[in-house]
C-alpha cells in the first residue's frame, strides 16, 4: 500500500518568530518515506516556511484526496486573527496585524480532512502559541477533526526575545530515523519522554483511533483543564472581556498592569464564589501564566503549587486533568528557576505534590528528587 506524507514547517520571518520550525525538516527528511508513513511505499511532500496560505491549501487538498493512509507532520506557531479570533498557523509573511490574510486558518486543515475515511489520517503536531493564543486555549479547542488521530503538543510562549526549538517533533524524527515506526500512540509517548521536564507546561494532544486529542476535547483523559464558564466580572466591568485587556497588557510589556487586573478579578471571585471555587482557581491560573510571561518562574511555580494544593483540598482526584496540569506547570517552572536558594525552598513542596500526583510523564518524581539532591550540594 502506498501512503502520503506531508511535512509542513512554518513560522514568521523576523521578530514575530517564536519557534525555529524549519530546523526539524532535515531530521524528518532523513527518515525513509515508508517509515514516515508506516506503509510499504509513500509519497512525501515537504513545505518549508511557505509564503502563501493558498499554496499550502493546494498541497493539503492534493494530499487529502490521495488514496491510502495520510500522515501529516506539522511544526510551527499558532496565532489568532484580530477580527474573528480564530487560530492560524503563522506562515513566513505573517505578522500580528496580517494573520487573517497571511496565515493558514487551522480550520482549513480540519475541513480538507473531513471527508477522508475514518482512521486513515494521522497528525503529529509540534506547535508553539503566542501569549494571546495561549490564553484563548484556556476555553477553546484546537479542532483538528473527529476522524483523525492527533498526537503532539502545544507549547507556551518562550521567554522574551527567545526562539524555541521544536523539541517534540525532533524527538519524533530521531526515533523514526532508527528505521522502526512504533504505533503512533507509543511514538508519541516515547517522544514526550525525550522532551522531558521541559515539556511539563505543554498542552498534550494525544488520541488514538478516532478522537482528536485537544484541550477540553473528546479524547479520553484530556490532559489540560476542561472548558468552563468564565467568572463574573467585578462591578463596573460588565461587558468588558478582562482576558482581552490582560492579553493586550502582556503584549505591550505591561506585566505589572496585567497581573494587577488579574488579581482584582481573583479577589472578586474569592469574595463571590469562595476559596477553591473554579472561578477563583481560574484567575489564580491566569496569574501563574502571567508570571511565566513576565519571566518570573519563582512566582509562577509558587502559584501553580498553590492551585494544585487547593484543587486537592477541594476533593479533586490526584489524576484529575486540572490537578495534573497544575503540578506539571509547577514542575516546569521550577526547572526554570536559576536561583538555587529559591529552587531549594520550593523543591520539597513540589516533591510532596509529585508523590501524590505523579502525572502521566514517567520519572517525574525521580526527576524532582535528583534535582533536589544536586541543589543541596550547591552554595
Amino acid at each position: 500500500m502506498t501512503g502520503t506524507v506531508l511535512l509542513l514547517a512554518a513560522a514568521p520571518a523576523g521578530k514575530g518568530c517564536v519557534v525555529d520550525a524549519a530546523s526539524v525538516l532535515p531530521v524528518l527528511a532523513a527518515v525513509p518515506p515508508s517509515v514516515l508513513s508506516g506503509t510499504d511505499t509513500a509519497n512525501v511532500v515537504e513545505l518549508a516556511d511557505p509564503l502563501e496560505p493558498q499554496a499550502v491549501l493546494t498541497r493539503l487538498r492534493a494530499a487529502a484526496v490521495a488514496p491510502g493512509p495520510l500522515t501529516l507532520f506539522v511544526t510551527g506557531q499558532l496565532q489568532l486573527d484580530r477580527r474573528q479570533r480564530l487560530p492560524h498557523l503563522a506562515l513566513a509573511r505573517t505578522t500580528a496585524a496580517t494573520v487573517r490574510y497571511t496565515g493558514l486558518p487551522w480550520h482549513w486543515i480540519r475541513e480538507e480532512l473531513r471527508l477522508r475515511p475514518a482512521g486513515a489520517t494521522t497528525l503529529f503536531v509540534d506547535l508553539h502559541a503566542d501569549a494571546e493564543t495561549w490564553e484563548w486555549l484556556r476555553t477553546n479547542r484546537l479542532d483538528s477533526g473527529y476522524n483523525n488521530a492527533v498526537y503532539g503538543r502545544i507549547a507556551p510562549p518562550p521567554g522574551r526575545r527567545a526562539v524555541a526549538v521544536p523539541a517534540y517533533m525532533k524527538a519524533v524524527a530521531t526515533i523514526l530515523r532508527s528505521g522502526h515506526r512504533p504505533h503512533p500512540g507509543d511514538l508519541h509517548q516515547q517522544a514526550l519522554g525525550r522532551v522531558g521536564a521541559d515539556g511539563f507546561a505543554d498542552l498534550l494532544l494525544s488520541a488514538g483511533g478516532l478522537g482528536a486529542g485537544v484541550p477540553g476535547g473528546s479524547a479520553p483523559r484530556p490532559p489540560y483543564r476542561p472548558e468552563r464558564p468564565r467568572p463574573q466580572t467585578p462591578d463596573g466591568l460588565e461587558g468588558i472581556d478582562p482576558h482581552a485587556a490582560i492579553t493586550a497588557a502582556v503584549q505591550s510589556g505591561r506585566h505589572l498592569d496585567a497581573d494587577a487586573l488579574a488579581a482584582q478579578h481573583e479577589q472578586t471571585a474569592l469574595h463571590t464564589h469562595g476559596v477553591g471555587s473554579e472561578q477563583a482557581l481560574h484567575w489564580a491560573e491566569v496569574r501563574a501564566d502571567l508570571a511565566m510571561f513576565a519571566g518570573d518562574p519563582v512566582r509562577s511555580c509558587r502559584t501553580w503549587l498553590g492551585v494544585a494544593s487547593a484543587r486537592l483540598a477541594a476533593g479533586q482526584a490526584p489524576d484529575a486533568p486540572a490537578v495534573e496540569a497544575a503540578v506539571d506547570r509547577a514542575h516546569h517552572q521550577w526547572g526554570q528557576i536559576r536561583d538555587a536558594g529559591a529552587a531549594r525552598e520550593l523543591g520539597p513542596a513540589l516533591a510532596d505534590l509529585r508523590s501524590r500526583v505523579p502525572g502521566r510523564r514517567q520519572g517525574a518524581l525521580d526527576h524532582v528528587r535528583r534535582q533536589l539532591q544536586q541543589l543541596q550540594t550547591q552554595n
Side-chain angles (χ1 to χ4, degrees):
M1 180 184 297
T2 299
T4 301
V5 176
L6 179 62
L7 308 179
L8 172 57
K15 64 180 182 180
C17 180
V18 300
V19 59
D20 184 11
S23 65
V24 76
L25 287 178
V27 191
L28 282 170
V31 179
S34 60
V35 178
L36 287 173
S37 178
T39 56
D40 296 333
T41 59
N43 299 312
V44 179
V45 177
E46 179 179 317
L47 296 175
D49 284 327
L51 300 176
E52 301 293 340
Q54 288 294 336
V56 179
L57 178 62
T58 298
R59 296 298 186 92
L60 176 63
R61 186 167 291 166
V65 299
L70 170 62
T71 307
L72 289 84
F73 296 85
V74 182
T75 308
Q77 70 185 62
L78 288 175
Q79 293 182 231
L80 302 180
D81 71 277
R82 290 180 174 177
R83 182 175 177 181
Q84 295 182 295
R85 291 183 58 79
L86 294 176
H88 289 62
L89 183 69
L91 303 184
R93 294 176 177 171
T94 300
T95 65
T98 66
V99 173
R100 180 175 172 83
Y101 307 102
T102 60
L104 179 75
W106 192 262
H107 64 265
W108 284 10
I109 298 176
R110 180 194 68 217
E111 289 302 311
E112 292 304 319
L113 302 179
R114 178 172 55 89
L115 298 180
R116 285 187 54 79
T121 307
T122 304
L123 289 84
F124 289 96
V125 301
D126 189 348
L127 303 170
H128 282 69
D130 63 8
E132 183 179 22
T133 309
W134 191 249
E135 179 65 27
W136 180 88
L137 286 165
R138 288 184 175 277
T139 52
N140 295 273
R141 299 171 54 235
L142 186 67
D143 188 355
S144 303
Y146 290 99
N147 288 335
N148 312 313
V150 185
Y151 302 91
R153 58 102 178 241
I154 305 175
R160 285 174 286 183
R161 295 182 294 276
V163 177
V165 175
Y168 171 84
M169 195 64 77
K170 285 192 172 182
V172 167
T174 301
I175 294 168
L176 292 178
R177 284 187 65 179
S178 68
H180 170 64
R181 189 182 196 271
H183 179 276
D186 295 335
L187 176 58
H188 171 69
Q189 292 298 328
Q190 291 176 29
L192 290 178
R194 296 198 178 203
V195 172
D198 288 341
F200 281 134
D202 301 343
L203 305 181
L204 301 185
L205 315 180
S206 55
L210 306 180
V214 293
S218 62
R221 302 186 307 175
Y224 194 47
R225 59 182 64 81
E227 294 184 17
R228 53 184 179 267
R230 286 180 175 174
Q232 298 175 358
T233 58
D235 293 341
L237 292 179
E238 288 83 357
I240 300 175
D241 180 6
H243 300 80
I246 289 170
T247 297
V250 171
Q251 291 176 334
S252 62
R254 295 182 290 110
H255 297 284
L256 291 177
D257 292 344
D259 184 65
L261 181 56
Q264 178 186 358
H265 286 274
E266 182 183 18
Q267 288 302 311
T268 300
L270 286 169
H271 177 75
T272 305
H273 302 283
V275 176
S277 65
E278 281 298 321
Q279 292 84 349
L281 290 172
H282 167 78
W283 286 108
E285 291 173 346
V286 169
R287 296 189 70 192
D289 274 343
L290 290 175
M292 176 185 68
F293 296 151
D296 188 347
V298 174
R299 180 160 56 93
S300 183
C301 176
R302 196 187 308 276
T303 306
W304 280 119
L305 289 173
V307 169
S309 297
R311 290 192 177 279
L312 289 170
Q316 296 186 26
D319 61 351
V323 176
E324 290 186 337
V327 179
D328 283 348
R329 294 292 187 80
H331 192 156
H332 175 264
Q333 287 299 290
W334 184 67
Q336 304 302 307
I337 297 173
R338 297 295 173 258
D339 184 325
R344 279 195 296 267
E345 176 193 349
L346 294 172
L350 176 61
D352 177 66
L353 276 174
R354 267 297 179 215
S355 67
R356 301 160 63 192
V357 186
R360 307 190 189 282
R361 309 288 185 93
Q362 294 183 356
L365 177 58
D366 289 340
H367 175 267
V368 176
R369 289 171 172 168
R370 287 196 304 270
Q371 291 300 108
L372 272 175
Q373 289 178 351
Q374 293 180 10
L375 287 168
Q376 298 306 324
T377 64
Q378 299 179 18
N379 295 326

